[in-house]
Amino acid sequence: MKPMQGGSKGRVVKIDPLLPEPGKVQEAVRRAIQIVRSGGVIAFPTETFYGLGADPFNAKAVERLFEIKGREPGKPILLVIDDMKRAEGIVKTISEDAGRLIRKFWPGPLTLLFESTSRVTSALTGGTGKIGIRIPSHPVALQLLQAAGQALTATSANRSGQPGAATANRVEKTIGPKLDLILDGGATPGGPGSTIVDATFHPPRLIREGKIPFRDILSSLGLSSTEDHEW
């Protein structure tokens, strides 16, 4: 799918970050979902930075995602979902540790790594056989996911190696012409990204510390940060 024509005016769409009435979907979200289902790539706000949304099961869309970011093959792409039922067919198992972390920290900026099923391509896992997933807490991201009814990618909306974008204006200035739509839900908090934890190990291993301190994650599992956890 080629990027939309008409410049940034038609590409950047304002959206109310407050949830609409139950059962209703904002028109901007409908438009975004149509684009994603057609193989397009959009940008949307999360509880950290703006992310890039595409259909993770559309190989061409994933390939385009890598091109937009200038991302090297072999680097994984995380997914976001609105409910754990969306993880069916994506992850093999959910450990007891992972279940406790999900109940404690989701929705929120904690990305958990799970063993992926064969449905997930190696392009998304970076060849590791593991896929990163989280339920975001930003209302626009949740509106989008609920309307989509499936997982979406949520890699940061920036060129690889560059700072994350906390506003739609920043997304537009850096990679806007390559995108089909930017949902402008206002400024995001920015700061550290999501904390990434590999939940396939016991105890879970820290991959990247972000908004949630790893000591809080360990504490929720009844573990001490001073213990030897072999990471």
Side-chain angles (χ1 to χ4, degrees), residues 84-125:
M84 277 308 297
K85 65 184 178 182
R86 310 292 187 203
E88 294 179 7
I90 297 177
V91 307
K92 289 183 178 179
T93 59
I94 299 174
S95 67
E96 182 178 344
D97 284 344
R100 292 172 68 180
L101 294 176
I102 287 168
R103 290 189 291 273
K104 174 69 174 179
F105 295 105
W106 284 7
L110 173 64
T111 299
L112 295 176
L113 298 187
F114 301 91
E115 287 189 36
S116 61
T117 65
S118 58
R119 187 185 181 200
V120 182
T121 67
S122 60
L124 293 173
T125 68

Side-chain angles (χ1 to χ4, degrees), residues 8-190:
S8 62
K9 185 176 181 180
R11 186 168 51 240
V12 180
V13 178
K14 294 277 189 179
I15 181 170
D16 187 347
L18 299 179
L19 289 172
E21 294 179 32
K24 292 187 177 181
V25 178
Q26 295 189 60
E27 183 57 36
V29 171
R30 293 184 191 277
R31 181 177 167 189
I33 294 304
Q34 289 176 346
I35 290 170
V36 168
R37 288 175 177 165
S38 299
V41 180
I42 66 170
F44 62 95
T46 76
E47 68 274 32
T48 54
F49 294 95
Y50 273 73
L52 293 179
D55 182 351
F57 310 113
N58 183 321
K60 290 186 176 180
V62 172
E63 180 180 355
R64 186 167 160 221
L65 195 65
F66 274 82
E67 292 175 353
I68 290 171
K69 284 187 65 70
R71 194 178 186 90
E72 297 178 3
K75 292 191 175 182
I77 298 288
L78 71 88
L79 306 182
V80 286
I81 56 177
D82 67 307
D83 189 280
M84 277 308 297
K85 65 184 178 182
R86 310 292 187 203
E88 294 179 7
I90 297 177
V91 307
K92 289 183 178 179
T93 59
I94 299 174
S95 67
E96 182 178 344
D97 284 344
R100 292 172 68 180
L101 294 176
I102 287 168
R103 290 189 291 273
K104 174 69 174 179
F105 295 105
W106 284 7
L110 173 64
T111 299
L112 295 176
L113 298 187
F114 301 91
E115 287 189 36
S116 61
T117 65
S118 58
R119 187 185 181 200
V120 182
T121 67
S122 60
L124 293 173
T125 68
T128 65
K130 298 178 183 181
I131 187 69
I133 297 178
R134 82 171 187 269
I135 296 180
S137 58
H138 195 287
V140 171
L142 287 172
Q143 284 186 60
L144 186 66
L145 290 163
Q146 289 163 1
Q150 67 166 70
L152 297 177
T153 65
T155 183
S156 57
N158 59 291
R159 293 285 292 178
S160 288
Q162 298 299 311
T167 65
N169 184 55
R170 179 65 181 172
V171 176
E172 170 59 29
K173 286 184 176 180
T174 53
I175 58 173
K178 298 178 182 294
L179 301 177
D180 299 301
L181 186 73
I182 300 172
L183 288 176
D184 184 357
T188 62

